[in-house]
């Protein structure tokens, strides 16, 4: 059984916290990226998302990160799996929309990539 709530880290070293899901399968949280396209100081940014509500043990989900320190937005979609060792993994695909000054630059304004997240074991 996969539960999205908690702290996660990805293959880039970014960390995120997902808060417990609402009764309608919506959630919010925060995202601390390890990398940025900008030279701005990275700050923790809010995320909002939802999990598919049909009662699957390995649910699919999506969330949006609205970057506080950059004029871009990223959306992630993925599925939670439990591997053979019982370790939870979130397999995600993301799209990042960058701001461009002109419609002529629209063609280069979207990036796509993949991130795997594993649960961050709390040291608290
Ligand atoms: C920006 O530089 O415009 C904002 C930060 C973007 C970070 C991206 S989102 C997809 C990828 N996965 C991460 O954890 N960080 C980068």
């Amino acid at each position: 059984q996969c539960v999205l709530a908690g702290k996660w880290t990805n293959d880039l070293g970014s960390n995120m916290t997902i808060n417990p899901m609402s009764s309608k399968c919506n959630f919010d949280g925060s995202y601390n990226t390890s990398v940025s396209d900008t030279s701005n100081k990275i700050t923790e940014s809010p995320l909002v998302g939802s999990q598919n509500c049909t009662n699957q043990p390995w649910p699919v989900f999506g969330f949006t990160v609205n970057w506080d320190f950059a004029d871009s937005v990223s959306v992630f979609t993925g599925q939670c799996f439990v591997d053979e060792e019982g370790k939870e993994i979130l397999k995600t695909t993301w799209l990042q929309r960058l701001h461009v000054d002109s419609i002529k630059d629209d063609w280069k304004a979207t990036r796509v990539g993949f991130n795997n997240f594993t649960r961050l074991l709390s040291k608290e």
Side-chain angles (χ1 to χ4, degrees), residues 10-15 31-40 42 45 65-76 92-99 111-115 117:
N10 74 17
D11 45 289
L12 291 169
S14 299
N15 294 334
Y31 201 106
N32 208 343
T33 181
S34 61
V35 291
S36 171
D37 190 44
T38 72
S39 51
N40 300 341
I42 293 174
S45 296
V65 188
N66 193 352
W67 302 106
D68 274 342
F69 62 89
D71 45 18
S72 63
V73 165
S74 301
V75 292
F76 290 75
T92 71
T93 303
W94 53 262
L95 289 173
Q96 187 186 4
R97 177 66 195 204
L98 302 151
H99 178 269
R111 292 179 179 155
V112 61
F114 304 95
N115 280 137
F117 292 83

Side-chain angles (χ1 to χ4, degrees), residues 4-6 8-10 14-19 25-33 45-52 59-67 73-80 90-96 114-117:
L4 284 185
W8 299 87
T9 188
N10 74 17
S14 299
N15 294 334
M16 68 172 172
T17 301
I18 294 182
N19 296 323
C25 302
N26 299 315
F27 57 82
D28 61 12
S30 55
Y31 201 106
N32 208 343
T33 181
S45 296
L47 70 82
V48 289
S50 47
Q51 179 184 312
N52 179 270
V60 300
F61 59 87
F63 61 85
T64 300
V65 188
N66 193 352
W67 302 106
V73 165
S74 301
V75 292
F76 290 75
T77 186
Q79 184 169 356
C80 184
L90 309 181
K91 301 288 289 187
T92 71
T93 303
W94 53 262
L95 289 173
Q96 187 186 4
F114 304 95
N115 280 137
N116 293 335
F117 292 83

